[in-house]
Amino acid sequence: MSYSEADLMACAAARQIRDGELVFVGMRLPLLAFAIAKRVHAPSAFGVFEAGIVRDEVPRAALHTMGDGANVAGAAWCTSLTNVMSLLGRGEVALGMIGGAEIDRRGNVNTSYIGRWEHPTVKLPGSGGGADIACLAQRTVVILAQERHRFVERVSYVTSPGRNLAQVVTTAGLLGMRDGELVLESVHPGRTVDEVRELCGWDLRVADDVGETPPPTAEELAALRASDVQTAEP
């Protein structure tokens, strides 16, 4: 069964969504993860979008921005940014999905600056709602490419604290938080533990029960293809 790296990541993230949960959904792979979960194992999950939209069904056409007409059409609730962010403040969001430029061994995510904040070498997009999601969602999933310069001992700037981190979905494997530190829990098919550790900027711990990430099932891939959203690179 043929699938891409991004397909596997979207399916792995989707498996973190439980039926009936309120999920804060971002663009690209998080949107695909929500679509897969809705169609396969979590039909009663709700998606919350930062644009002020709450959905109980998958958008029927590809989205280029959260405010696209396809995201508004059929929405359960079209409201304000303040209202959807208040769902986080009330503790009603079970899972939030975010990305990042850097992540460190404590699960802290940086989307603000590379280098010293007074004179950064790179300016990044900033927090958006990332800090709110990481702090106020009951669980957080981070999705990003596993590259040594992204997985650092300590991020240049803590945009989103790793306090509620449940899983990091990467291009090479899945990491979980144990005893306040990221631990390698599974490697993707075709990857090795040593390879994943080499793509990390610190001495990455490996779980005693480390295994191989289950590949996408036929049902998951069918759900992904039916989403009408082109699979995006992480």
Side-chain angles (χ1 to χ4, degrees):
M1 189 183 306
S2 176
Y3 60 87
S4 70
E5 192 173 71
D7 292 344
L8 175 56
M9 294 174 72
C11 292
R15 294 165 189 162
Q16 287 289 313
I17 299 174
R18 302 167 189 166
D19 199 20
E21 288 190 327
L22 201 60
V23 182
F24 216 104
V25 183
M27 292 298 293
R28 302 173 67 189
L29 291 186
L31 179 62
L32 292 172
F34 176 66
I36 294 165
K38 284 284 292 182
R39 290 191 165 107
V40 175
H41 66 269
S44 298
F46 280 78
V48 180
F49 296 81
E50 198 170 345
I53 297 168
V54 178
R55 299 192 63 88
D56 60 353
E57 61 179 40
V58 178
R60 297 181 181 179
L63 300 183
H64 300 287
T65 73
M66 292 185 187
D68 283 1
N71 207 25
V72 174
W77 191 24
C78 290
T79 182
S80 65
L81 169 65
T82 302
N83 282 338
V84 295
M85 296 305 284
S86 73
L87 296 173
L88 282 166
R90 295 200 300 267
E92 296 183 21
V93 175
L95 179 68
M97 294 185 174
I98 62 174
E102 289 184 328
I103 190 168
D104 64 24
R105 68 189 306 159
R106 302 297 179 187
N108 299 310
V109 173
N110 175 21
T111 56
S112 298
Y113 307 97
I114 303 295
R116 294 185 60 83
W117 69 269
E118 306 98 320
H119 302 288
T121 55
V122 178
K123 290 186 177 181
L124 300 168
S127 171
D132 303 81
I133 295 168
C135 291
L136 299 174
Q138 296 167 27
R139 307 186 320 280
T140 306
V141 170
V142 177
I143 305 173
L144 76 168
Q146 181 136 8
E147 298 169 328
R148 194 175 180 88
H149 70 277
R150 289 176 178 265
F151 284 70
V152 295
E153 176 78 27
R154 184 176 181 181
V155 292
S156 300
Y157 187 96
V158 179
T159 308
S160 305
R163 56 186 293 177
N164 297 325
L165 183 59
Q167 189 173 77
V168 181
V169 178
T170 84
T171 47
L174 303 178
L175 288 72
M177 186 68 75
R178 303 191 185 185
D179 300 320
E181 183 176 343
L182 287 178
V183 175
L184 179 63
E185 296 182 335
S186 77
V187 295
H188 295 337
R191 301 278 193 165
T192 67
V193 169
D194 288 343
E195 182 181 1
V196 178
R197 296 188 79 227
E198 183 61 30
L199 291 171
C200 191
W202 71 88
D203 187 15
L204 178 65
R205 290 171 50 201
V206 179
D208 293 338
D209 57 350
V210 65
E212 184 175 84
T213 308
T217 66
E219 187 179 15
E220 287 172 333
L221 287 176
L224 189 155
R225 306 298 180 231
S227 69
D228 264 343
V229 183
Q230 184 178 0
T231 303
E233 291 303 318

